[in-house]
Amino acid sequence: MEVVLLPTPEDCGRVVADAVAGSVLAALAGGGPVVLGLATGSSPLLAYRELLRRHREEGLSFTGVQAFLLDEYVGLPAGHPESYREVIRRELTDALGLDPAVVHGPDGSAADPLAAARDYERRLLAAGPVAVQVLGIGANGHLGFNEPGSSLASRTRVKTLTEQTRRDNARFFGGDVDAVPRHVLTQGLGTILGAEHLVLVATGEGKAAAVAAAVEGPLTASCPASVLQLHPHATVVVDEAAGSGLARAAHYRYVLGHKLADQGW
Ligand code: GLP
């Protein structure tokens, strides 16, 4: 995996935008339908703002792109402002000109969430592979909503959130932990590994331990994000604070400073 250690969150946003734009353009040039894997949460927001700027000012086109979300809360009615499908429309896809019909997410409002999980996995496999999957990381190392203990081979399914994740996410629900659903639908770790390129972004000291465990710790279900170690094309983009627990930081900086001209992300 490539670890890109950068001074500021804004620098991280630019590199993630580069990686996403590069993969989308390469896939569009290949002629096929392009599937973009999107994450919600605060980590990718600067990257999304940068993609929006390029779309507005530089004509970066997302025509022909379909988007698939990583995860969704169970039990929020369709159209709830904090459902991830609404969040991603608000933060990114509407302004990119993507029709809501090509922005897919697991149906958290379905009467049968177990069936909704199976259905989402099927739809994703039929449309995929995902050209590039944007990822954040939870403070406990979760990926999507795959909490510690999740099978490294898991597929899209229903999961129960840890109380830590519910507390972390209460800020999106007016600080009310009780308003944060207990159950979620999430792509499994095995599903996520099916994307052609994984780009994980993390900023701030609160993510330092999780990033270090994911990148330099053992491959273990106890740190779901360590599954990136199994992927042949994974890019981890972190600012100095989120990278402060990395033992090989000097080496990552050295590698970054000596990239070949055409190496890309
Ligand atoms: C959330 C999401 C994840 C996200 C993570 C980190 O609960 N389900 O997809 O990556 O937690 O969130 P943030 O980027 O806001 O720190």
Side-chain angles (χ1 to χ4, degrees), residues 52-94:
L52 287 172
R53 190 196 63 74
R54 292 182 196 190
H55 174 67
R56 249 186 351 257
E57 296 174 14
E58 297 171 9
L60 176 66
S61 170
F62 287 80
T63 305
V65 170
Q66 292 199 65
F68 277 79
L69 285 175
L70 269 181
D71 47 13
E72 184 58 275
Y73 292 109
V74 168
L76 297 185
H80 187 286
E82 289 312 321
S83 83
Y84 281 168
R85 198 138 174 272
E86 282 304 303
V87 169
I88 207 71
R89 284 181 53 182
R90 204 164 57 227
E91 301 287 354
L92 184 66
T93 57
D94 278 356

